[in-house]
Amino acid sequence: MEEIASFLLILTIYFLGILAIVQGVIRPKKFFLRKESDEIIKIPVNYIRILFLSFLLALVTTTLAYLLFI
């Protein structure tokens, strides 16, 4: 039980840190759509990609750190 809790704690910390780094490198892009009434809509494009990449990197580094220090 302690192993699972420590793994999840390390994963959370790594995920938040890597998320900040990845957002700095991959800047969230937005594109603009113009409606018929000249209203401009901003649509974020790659937030899912940023979250997925951050979680994948955090999972890999957490697993590596956990296996090295057992």
Side-chain angles (χ1 to χ4, degrees):
M1 195 67 161
E2 293 173 3
E3 294 173 354
I4 295 171
S6 63
F7 183 82
L8 290 177
L9 181 64
I10 294 170
L11 178 66
T12 304
I13 292 170
Y14 279 10
F15 173 71
L16 293 176
I18 290 174
L19 180 64
I21 293 170
V22 168
Q23 276 187 333
V25 173
I26 303 175
R27 307 210 177 189
K29 296 178 183 175
K30 295 182 180 181
F31 67 90
F32 302 99
L33 288 178
R34 186 170 287 223
K35 283 188 168 181
E36 298 169 0
S37 63
D38 291 336
E39 182 181 347
I40 296 176
I41 301 173
K42 298 178 189 176
I43 300 176
V45 177
N46 58 358
Y47 287 121
I48 298 297
R49 185 174 126 198
I50 290 172
L51 288 173
F52 179 72
L53 182 62
S54 298
F55 183 74
L56 183 67
L57 287 172
L59 189 62
V60 168
T61 55
T62 303
T63 305
L64 180 66
Y66 192 74
L67 291 176
L68 285 175
F69 293 109
I70 285 185

